[in-house]
Amino acid sequence: VGAATEYSATLEVLSTPTEARIAFWALGCAFVNIPPTVSGVGGAHAGLQWMPLHPNSRAINWGGYLTATGAELPGSVSSLPSAPNNPNTRDFNWIAGRKYRFRVFSPAANTWRATVTDLVTNTTTTIRDLTCNATHLGSPVVWTEAFTDCGTTSYHCRWTDLTAVINSVPVDASSVYLTYQSVENGG
């Protein structure tokens, strides 16, 4: 995928964890500059979380990091509450089996917003804005991060409708590839 100004994808968590461990399903991206005066200045991820510190273990996240230092990106204060008072991870009572559309885009220079739309109620919620000095998005990825032993629990999600906006034109993903973390690396 070339440099984009927007990424979006639909997530449906089909089954939830049965233990009090963290799970995260996210749409990730890099922040880049075009022309590439500095490429890969940062990265971020927006998605649903199974997080025991939040009500009903349900949360939503929009956070990111600077490539050069690993420091967290600054951002706006979310209108959503957060039981553990985490600026990136907010309380969000998502429902398993329901489709949620995530969208990452720039409403203003150096500002990157993530929203989520409940496709049953058609309600869009702004998660928050992140600040990163970048002109475009790159390296889209959707993933599951599971903080559990692979053989102890099973839960599933489905990603659909992967879309990028490139040169003001929406482009649907024509193909994707699947990877897993190896057992040797903790997968």
Side-chain angles (χ1 to χ4, degrees):
V1 171
T5 54
E6 180 178 321
Y7 289 140
S8 56
T10 299
L11 169 64
E12 181 181 9
V13 176
L14 301 170
S15 61
T16 58
T18 56
E19 48 189 45
R21 302 251 186 163
I22 300 168
F24 189 10
W25 304 272
L27 166 63
C29 60
F31 296 119
V32 299
N33 283 310
I34 304 297
T37 53
V38 178
S39 85
V41 295
H45 41 266
L48 299 177
Q49 290 185 330
W50 178 264
M51 177 76 77
L53 297 174
H54 293 267
N56 299 317
S57 294
R58 284 161 169 78
I60 197 165
N61 180 287
W62 175 230
Y65 304 89
L66 288 171
T67 301
T69 64
E72 280 191 20
L73 291 172
S76 65
V77 175
S78 176
S79 64
L80 298 170
S82 176
N85 199 30
N86 183 307
N88 302 318
T89 307
R90 314 305 293 180
D91 305 342
F92 188 76
N93 197 26
W94 53 269
I95 299 168
R98 185 171 285 190
K99 293 180 179 180
Y100 294 92
R101 181 83 174 157
F102 283 88
R103 180 178 176 225
V104 174
F105 64 100
S106 180
N110 302 320
T111 301
W112 296 94
R113 179 171 293 166
T115 64
V116 61
T117 301
D118 179 324
L119 295 181
V120 171
T121 65
N122 205 32
T123 303
T124 298
T125 302
T126 296
I127 303 168
R128 68 190 293 240
D129 292 341
L130 294 178
T131 303
C132 188
N133 295 327
T135 59
H136 289 80
L137 300 171
S139 304
V141 63
V142 293
W143 44 265
T144 297
E145 186 173 29
F147 293 83
T148 188
D149 292 330
C150 290
T152 62
T153 189
S154 179
Y155 42 90
H156 306 89
C157 78
R158 178 181 310 143
W159 287 98
T160 56
D161 305 320
L162 308 171
T163 305
V165 175
I166 301 171
N167 297 324
S168 302
V169 177
V171 178
D172 294 332
S174 59
S175 65
V176 298
Y177 65 93
L178 180 66
T179 63
Y180 290 94
Q181 185 177 15
S182 70
V183 173
E184 296 79 26
N185 290 323

